[in-house]
Amino acid sequence: MGISYNEKSRSFKLDAKDTSYIMAVVDEENFLGHVYFGERIPDEDVNYLMRLEEPPFVPSKNNRDRMSFLDSFPTEYPTFGLGDFRESCLKVNTKSGMTAVGINYVSHKIYKGKPKLQGLPATFGSKEECTTLEITCVDKHLKLEVILIYTVFENLDAITRSVRIKNNSDEDIQLTRVLSACVDFDRMDMDVLTIHGSWARERHLNRRSVTYGKQAIGSTRGESSHQMNPFLAVMDKTSTEDDGEVYGFNFVYSGNFLAQAEGCQFDTTRVVMGINPEDFAWRLQPGEEFTAPEVVMIYSNEGIGKMSRTFHDLYRNHLIRGQYKDKKRPILINNWEATYFDFNTEKLLNIAKEASKLGVEMLVMDDGWFGNRNSDNCALGDWVVNEEKIQGGLKYLVDEVNKLGMKFGIWFEPEMISPDSDLYRAHPDWCIHIEGRVGTLCRNQYVLDLSRKEVRDYIYESLREILLSANIEYVKWDMNRQLSDVGNNILPAGCQREIWHRYVLGVYELMDRLTSEFPHILLENCSGGGARFDPGMLYYSPQIWASDNTDAIERLKIQHGTSMVYPVSAIGSHVSDCPNHTVGRVTPFETRGLVALSGTFGYELDVTRISQEDRDMIPKQIEMYHKYNDLIRKGDLYRIGNIFEKPQFDCVEYVAKDKSEVLVVYIQVLSRPNYHSRRIRLKGLQKDAYYRNEETNEVYSGAALMNAGILIKGLWGDFTGKLYHYIRV
Ligand code: DGJ
């Protein structure tokens, strides 16, 4: 049993694979407190850690100093306004204008399996894999019920959390803050790791000390964003890639979020995560419920690397769904960087013909095939094929591509509307807007109000018609701006702030409809590159375009940061032409292929116009993809070189789950004068097994490869790459 309740100590013990998480109900007033989170321990009762006998006394013993208790107690789900001045998770606005909430334990239930979260993406698991605990707490004054939901995965070091709030009063209660998780760590000597970025340089790492006050990241952009990813980890200051305790938190949501580590007065750290309270409000009518999105908590006692591998296993097996979940993805060629808006049937077919000869398996037609879209200034919303460009129609094009033995994929940006579009001319109020105010444009477009059912229905029907009109087997779902001017002329004033969350729920509903009606379609999410690379999106699409930056060297950083949390199988990665369109760098074609291998792999170039030498390399790269993709997609990732720390090289290793095979991808970034070889030590192998280098046939023990290492020789030239494949003998 992964979860137990000890009647005597009134404590809950959640056991994941090698992790324990303990809470206890204390005092006559039934406060629910956090006791322990870390390596698995056998004891059920560790309440001696709760400091209940020392000042500040618990309320039943010394209520004259109640605030001292509330402001220091490691509360499991802190609420606003009664004397806990650290970050709170729950705040309201009642009819009489009151904001305080105080909750106490009432009951609980433990059951096998994991419940779905209504309308929200979430991890899933069977009754054999998961156990769930629901703790009901109540604010008697407000008649507000707060149900804290925990699920443990018994074979992974993963615990998920969510919260359901129910209004049992006979008045409306407005929720103005509902975070999904809080953990009070009884220490402050930790570092906090977050992932930040911008367009074309997504998911770079930032590590700093936890110190007094709030170290917060978040998004108020309506999407998880290029700028901050909904991930935060706290860890020992000495933790490295391979050693030390690390606690990773990831929010399964694609909109505004807050993730924060707060150093508090008694040298404790409060970590919270959830929907960003900035501009959030949700009206709960009597009897209604609100469900907060899920937070995933991962514990690792073997450094950052093990945390990442646990996230990868959890997401590959318990989040990503659909027919491509465990499948090798077709190698695609996308025409964006090849043609931008300047294409027609002939150009696309020429690319497809050449690509099919080289072994490419799918043609993806990107932005520009609909309405009068010849630039990014117009036509979003007009999902009608432009037959001046797609001469002969879409079906003809798809059939011709299919005749070449290739699949066909298509680009949409369903959430957007151009002011210069037939849709806008017909429904100017369908975009998110503030009545009477000129809306802020971004890429010359507005955001459709997907909180409205009629808008969602219209968009879905337009997409559906296109998808039914030809044999389309892949969709790239793009989203190229953030939300601003948030309002509409539909919801009452008191519900206007709900639009942020209703929008995200609307996006999820659309993706749910799409993936249910067209289960054979491979969906790839994208948001101006990688602005929505989050677990919410992974629930609907097994892969996400990582960045518009396709430069192999920049990609090393982006892919390194992305792999902190997200599996390599989900990272959309293509070989593009040089000089690179974003940074102007020239890298060898071979290296571009090696870097794209650590992702879904594909091409984004005009294969009819690249040099013969580069073209000749494509079949070899494709052979390499077919040979290694199973290992890369399903294996364990070990990061060996980190170009954030040492800009000279990057190195990753993929080890088969049964340790029978290992692939090492080494990229020499900056050459060092008079330095021609480098020793690196492999990781994660079977110590007492022997491994044969496939190229040289040399055989060494796992122990030697891990402790003594391998020699990377012939380090000559920047941006060069090498591959080493070892097979257990
Ligand atoms: C942004 C995407 O990231 C690109 O790959 C491309 O699809 C463009 N949008 C098209 O407008």
Side-chain angles (χ1 to χ4, degrees):
M1 185 78 158
I3 299 181
S4 58
Y5 176 65
N6 182 321
E7 294 274 355
K8 199 162 145 260
S9 60
R10 299 206 291 165
S11 51
F12 297 97
K13 183 158 188 267
L14 284 61
D15 285 325
K17 186 167 170 262
D18 296 317
T19 304
S20 294
Y21 186 95
I22 302 178
M23 297 168 270
V25 179
V26 303
D27 191 49
E28 290 163 12
E29 286 192 51
N30 291 349
F31 295 103
L32 181 66
H34 175 72
V35 191
Y36 174 77
F37 182 20
E39 189 158 323
R40 190 157 175 167
I41 53 174
D43 316 64
E44 284 189 356
D45 175 4
V46 284
N47 286 7
Y48 63 89
L49 293 166
M50 297 286 281
R51 298 198 176 93
L52 297 177
E53 301 310 320
E54 316 166 22
F57 299 114
V58 293
S60 58
K61 292 185 187 158
N62 174 18
N63 206 19
R64 68 184 288 278
D65 272 330
R66 186 180 181 87
M67 190 178 283
S68 316
F69 171 77
L70 293 174
D71 202 23
S72 60
F73 183 64
T75 188
E76 189 58 27
Y77 192 70
T79 54
F80 179 82
L82 297 178
D84 180 348
F85 296 98
R86 296 160 290 178
E87 191 78 24
S88 67
C89 285
L90 183 63
K91 187 178 175 188
V92 298
N93 189 13
T94 66
K95 216 173 158 195
S96 50
M98 299 304 137
T99 55
V101 188
I103 57 168
N104 300 86
Y105 166 83
V106 173
S107 63
H108 71 269
K109 60 179 182 187
I110 297 171
Y111 53 90
K112 286 282 174 196
K114 186 172 192 296
K116 282 192 167 184
L117 299 184
Q118 187 63 41
L120 287 165
T123 55
F124 54 82
S126 67
K127 288 190 173 158
E128 289 68 47
E129 294 161 329
C130 299
T131 309
T132 296
L133 163 68
E134 291 191 11
I135 303 179
T136 301
C137 300
V138 163
D139 180 322
K140 284 190 194 149
H141 178 78
L142 294 175
K143 297 200 177 63
L144 199 66
E145 201 171 276
V146 176
I147 299 142
L148 307 177
I149 307 163
Y150 300 80
T151 298
V152 295
F153 284 81
E154 296 181 23
N155 291 320
L156 285 168
D157 288 304
I159 299 174
T160 62
R161 292 177 65 168
S162 171
V163 180
R164 209 164 61 232
I165 316 280
K166 188 168 180 203
N167 179 3
N168 287 330
S169 78
D170 49 19
E171 284 182 359
D172 287 2
I173 296 179
Q174 192 181 41
L175 306 172
T176 53
R177 138 188 310 259
V178 186
L179 268 54
S180 299
C182 168
V183 178
D184 276 349
F185 290 87
D186 203 340
R187 55 187 290 205
M188 217 181 85
D189 55 337
M190 293 191 287
D191 279 351
V192 53
L193 178 72
T194 54
I195 304 177
H196 71 102
S198 184
W199 174 78
R201 53 179 161 81
E202 293 91 340
R203 289 173 299 287
H204 287 209
L205 300 181
N206 188 24
R207 183 171 175 168
R208 54 191 152 145
S209 291
V210 174
T211 183
Y212 298 106
K214 296 174 178 178
Q215 288 93 68
I217 59 151
S219 165
T220 53
R221 296 166 185 267
E223 58 176 357
S224 45
S225 86
H226 293 101
Q227 287 71 15
M228 297 288 171
N229 196 264
F231 159 79
L232 178 147
V234 287
M235 64 185 92
D236 296 337
K237 284 188 163 301
T238 51
S239 284
T240 62
E241 184 66 22
D242 304 304
D243 295 302
E245 288 195 296
V246 182
Y247 301 84
F249 297 82
N250 195 205
F251 195 33
V252 188
Y253 189 61
S254 311
N256 292 346
F257 75 92
L258 172 71
Q260 182 176 287
E262 177 184 7
C264 305
Q265 59 177 328
F266 300 116
D267 293 351
T268 59
T269 302
R270 171 166 290 181
V271 171
V272 295
M273 185 172 262
I275 293 181
N276 201 322
E278 175 96 343
D279 213 31
F280 167 82
W282 194 271
R283 180 181 64 179
L284 268 191
Q285 292 179 325
E288 277 185 353
E289 290 186 348
F290 178 85
T291 302
E294 177 167 285
V295 165
V296 172
M297 307 194 300
I298 303 289
Y299 170 72
S300 159
N301 53 3
E302 286 171 34
I304 300 167
K306 185 177 169 199
M307 173 201 72
S308 300
R309 286 186 291 280
T310 307
F311 271 124
H312 300 170
D313 283 342
L314 182 73
Y315 291 171
R316 284 185 297 201
N317 299 316
H318 301 281
L319 179 68
I320 292 171
R321 304 170 302 161
Q323 291 184 2
Y324 281 97
K325 179 175 185 278
D326 301 313
K327 265 205 211 152
K328 192 157 66 167
R329 318 284 157 73
I331 300 174
L332 65 83
I333 185 158
N334 177 302
N335 74 307
W336 179 241
E337 285 196 26
T339 65
Y340 295 101
F341 293 102
D342 183 17
F343 63 88
N344 56 20
T345 300
E346 194 190 344
K347 256 195 196 177
L348 292 176
L349 285 179
N350 284 341
I351 291 177
K353 274 177 201 151
E354 192 60 41
S356 69
K357 283 190 233 154
L358 302 168
V360 176
E361 297 161 325
M362 177 158 74
L363 175 79
V364 175
M365 176 170 71
D366 210 281
D367 192 357
W369 56 266
F370 53 93
N372 62 341
R373 182 108 166 147
N374 292 311
S375 76
D376 61 13
N377 281 332
C378 59
L380 292 171
D382 298 344
W383 299 111
V384 178
V385 178
N386 177 341
E387 297 212 7
E388 277 170 35
K389 286 167 102 171
I390 311 302
Q391 300 103 345
L394 184 60
K395 186 164 174 4
Y396 168 75
L397 171 64
V398 178
D399 287 348
E400 290 303 300
V401 171
N402 286 168
K403 278 185 207 158
L404 296 168
M406 291 173 92
K407 295 178 192 295
F408 184 88
I410 196 166
W411 177 98
F412 285 105
E413 193 173 0
E415 300 164 61
M416 297 292 151
I417 182 166
S418 307
D420 179 5
S421 66
D422 292 342
L423 186 65
Y424 188 81
R425 283 182 278 276
H427 299 285
D429 67 319
W430 273 18
C431 65
I432 289 180
H433 69 285
I434 299 171
E435 205 59 28
R437 182 184 277 278
V438 178
T440 312
L441 286 165
C442 177
R443 210 191 190 208
N444 211 6
Q445 64 201 50
Y446 293 131
V447 183
L448 277 170
D449 188 354
L450 297 183
S451 71
R452 294 172 59 174
K453 187 172 181 319
E454 68 275 34
V455 179
R456 291 199 299 274
D457 286 349
Y458 175 86
I459 285 302
Y460 186 73
E461 282 311 317
S462 327
L463 260 59
R464 185 171 182 271
E465 212 170 297
I466 296 286
L467 295 177
L468 290 174
S469 71
N471 183 25
I472 295 170
E473 298 180 78
Y474 162 106
V475 165
K476 177 173 172 187
W477 181 306
D478 203 350
M479 193 265 194
N480 282 301
R481 66 158 286 175
Q482 299 116 31
L483 274 59
S484 66
D485 310 77
V486 170
N488 65 22
N489 46 10
I490 303 290
L491 289 168
C495 296
Q496 281 287 319
R497 298 306 95 213
E498 296 176 12
I499 295 175
W500 294 101
H501 184 54
R502 285 181 184 274
Y503 176 82
V504 180
L505 294 179
V507 173
Y508 290 152
E509 190 217 80
L510 278 178
M511 289 193 186
D512 194 50
R513 284 165 80 174
L514 183 78
T515 49
S516 307
E517 187 174 352
F518 300 96
H520 68 285
I521 285 184
L522 170 59
L523 182 63
E524 174 154 356
N525 257 286
C526 170
S527 179
R532 235 172 22 186
F533 210 119
D534 60 60
M537 287 292 125
L538 280 185
Y539 185 67
Y540 302 97
S541 60
Q543 59 192 58
I544 303 176
W545 183 229
S547 178
D548 279 345
N549 193 337
T550 52
D551 171 66
I553 303 307
E554 288 302 311
R555 271 297 180 121
L556 292 174
K557 295 183 204 157
I558 294 167
Q559 292 176 190
H560 181 95
T562 307
S563 78
M564 284 295 130
V565 188
Y566 307 103
V568 167
S569 62
I571 302 178
S573 195
H574 298 165
V575 174
S576 64
D577 203 4
C578 275
N580 179 266
H581 294 194
T582 312
V583 292
R585 185 180 282 132
V586 177
T587 52
F589 199 80
E590 192 182 353
T591 304
R592 284 176 256 159
L594 288 178
V595 174
L597 212 55
S598 288
T600 53
F601 196 79
Y603 292 88
E604 181 132 353
L605 38 73
D606 187 343
V607 73
T608 65
R609 293 172 61 185
I610 57 173
S611 71
Q612 189 59 41
E613 199 188 334
D614 287 355
R615 207 170 15 246
D616 287 346
M617 239 178 271
I618 292 180
K620 288 183 208 137
Q621 289 179 334
I622 288 181
E623 195 188 318
M624 189 169 76
Y625 167 81
H626 287 305
K627 180 167 177 191
Y628 298 124
N629 184 257
D630 268 4
L631 175 57
I632 293 172
R633 223 178 55 248
K634 300 183 194 164
D636 282 330
L637 168 75
Y638 289 86
R639 290 176 292 249
I640 297 178
N642 171 358
I643 77 168
F644 289 100
E645 279 169 12
K646 211 183 248 171
Q648 284 159 10
F649 75 101
D650 178 275
C651 183
V652 289
E653 184 196 356
Y654 300 96
V655 181
K657 285 280 176 196
D658 65 0
K659 304 208 181 282
S660 60
E661 209 189 341
V662 48
L663 182 74
V664 181
V665 187
Y666 178 94
I667 307 291
Q668 176 74 9
V669 178
L670 286 177
S671 300
R672 202 167 170 218
N674 206 9
Y675 191 89
H676 302 295
S677 60
R678 179 188 304 279
R679 191 194 287 201
I680 58 158
R681 300 205 286 182
L682 303 192
K683 303 178 186 179
L685 306 187
Q686 191 183 325
K687 248 185 185 173
D688 57 359
Y690 281 80
Y691 292 86
R692 177 175 61 83
N693 178 321
E694 205 191 19
E695 204 185 347
T696 64
N697 280 326
E698 290 166 326
V699 175
Y700 296 104
S701 67
L705 295 172
M706 289 194 291
N707 293 302
I710 64 170
L711 208 54
I712 312 280
K713 289 189 269 193
L715 299 181
W716 179 255
D718 292 348
F719 316 142
T720 49
K722 288 174 191 294
L723 204 70
Y724 301 85
H725 186 212
Y726 292 85
I727 299 163
R728 192 172 54 195
V729 290

